[in-house]
Amino acid sequence: MRPGATMKFQFPRNSNTATFLPRESAQSIPFSSNKLPEIFNHFSVKPASVEAKTIKQTIQECEAPGIKGEEKYCATSLESMVDFSTSKLGTRNVEAISTEVLEEGATMSMHNYTTMPGLKKLAGDKVVVCHKQNYPYAVFFCHAIKQTAAYVLSLKADDGEKVKAVTICHLDTSEWNPEHLSFQILDVKPGIVPICHFISADGIVWVPKHKSA
């Protein structure tokens, strides 16, 4: 994240266009591994189809236990995502921030990005991160992990494209799976160094809002 640092990365534009259902509608549709036949029937999905496999995988990921120190929740409506985020942040005065590609143009290919000056740490020591899942309607996998910090930094690509990138840094990785891809890439062991990563353009980071002076 140091100014002048360069890296090869990819910020594809959102391809997952599923939108939220109102909370009442979402709550009327089962969201459980025990109800898969009913879910497939509701969306007219054949049990052996690719769509059915995607639905099953998303639900199983939502039902899987989190790591130690992680509080996780799959939000099936905007209202439920806000409720979870505000409850974990301990305030309803929050803001939602996402990575933004500031220039038009193709972003499906890899670019060499340079970090520009102006790194900004987001408010508070609590962060809720929500990742969009593949599902017939919008579902976000949200989690609050202890000792996590959020930053916003500006990147400029070799073709001039600019990105306002939201970055999450996990300061304590001691409870992570030793086989996690991050450890393999960095050739380190859990708990040795912080792990930082960009948030994709369809992810949302919730943080306490700065109090106005």
Side-chain angles (χ1 to χ4, degrees):
M1 295 192 292
R2 295 185 301 272
T6 60
M7 70 204 82
K8 184 168 285 189
F9 207 74
Q10 181 180 11
F11 289 97
R13 293 194 180 277
N14 297 353
S15 59
N16 185 344
T17 58
T19 57
F20 272 128
L21 296 177
R23 193 199 313 243
E24 295 76 13
S25 299
Q27 289 178 338
S28 70
I29 305 171
F31 191 83
S32 167
S33 295
N34 296 329
K35 300 287 187 178
L36 284 174
E38 190 174 338
I39 296 171
F40 296 157
N41 182 64
H42 180 88
F43 293 110
S44 300
V45 170
K46 295 181 179 180
S49 66
V50 174
E51 292 85 356
K53 182 178 180 181
T54 299
I55 289 173
K56 181 180 179 180
Q57 182 177 354
T58 293
I59 292 177
Q60 288 178 338
E61 289 176 354
C62 287
E63 293 176 339
I67 62 174
K68 185 178 179 180
E70 176 188 33
E71 296 177 273
K72 54 177 287 191
Y73 173 75
C74 275
T76 58
S77 68
L78 177 59
E79 296 94 332
S80 61
M81 179 164 63
V82 171
D83 285 349
F84 175 80
S85 300
T86 54
S87 69
K88 298 309 169 188
L89 295 176
T91 176
R92 295 196 68 83
N93 187 26
V94 299
E95 60 180 331
I97 301 176
S98 298
T99 291
E100 297 180 45
V101 178
L102 304 177
E103 304 281 330
E104 292 295 332
T107 58
M108 296 305 292
S109 58
M110 300 290 284
H111 287 303
N112 285 314
Y113 285 96
T114 300
T115 302
M116 309 302 289
L119 176 69
K120 175 187 175 184
K121 185 179 185 301
L122 298 179
D125 57 358
K126 295 182 180 180
V127 179
V128 174
V129 183
C130 296
H131 308 276
K132 196 171 188 183
Q133 305 299 295
N134 290 318
Y135 208 71
Y137 57 89
V139 171
F140 279 79
F141 173 91
C142 299
H143 56 160
I145 304 176
K146 294 180 179 179
Q147 298 191 49
T148 299
Y151 300 85
V152 175
L153 68 157
S154 298
L155 302 174
K156 188 173 182 179
D158 47 14
D159 67 348
E161 178 185 89
K162 297 177 182 178
V163 176
K164 186 186 79 172
V166 180
T167 307
I168 296 297
C169 288
H170 302 284
L171 308 180
D172 182 5
T173 61
S174 58
E175 299 294 335
W176 287 26
N177 186 334
E179 301 300 318
H180 195 284
L181 181 60
S182 297
F183 300 137
Q184 299 178 35
I185 294 174
L186 298 174
D187 192 25
V188 295
K189 295 181 179 180
I192 301 300
V193 295
I195 299 293
C196 298
H197 61 88
F198 295 126
I199 296 296
S200 63
D202 60 1
I204 302 174
V205 174
W206 296 84
V207 294
K209 195 170 186 178
H210 282 289
K211 294 181 179 179
S212 58

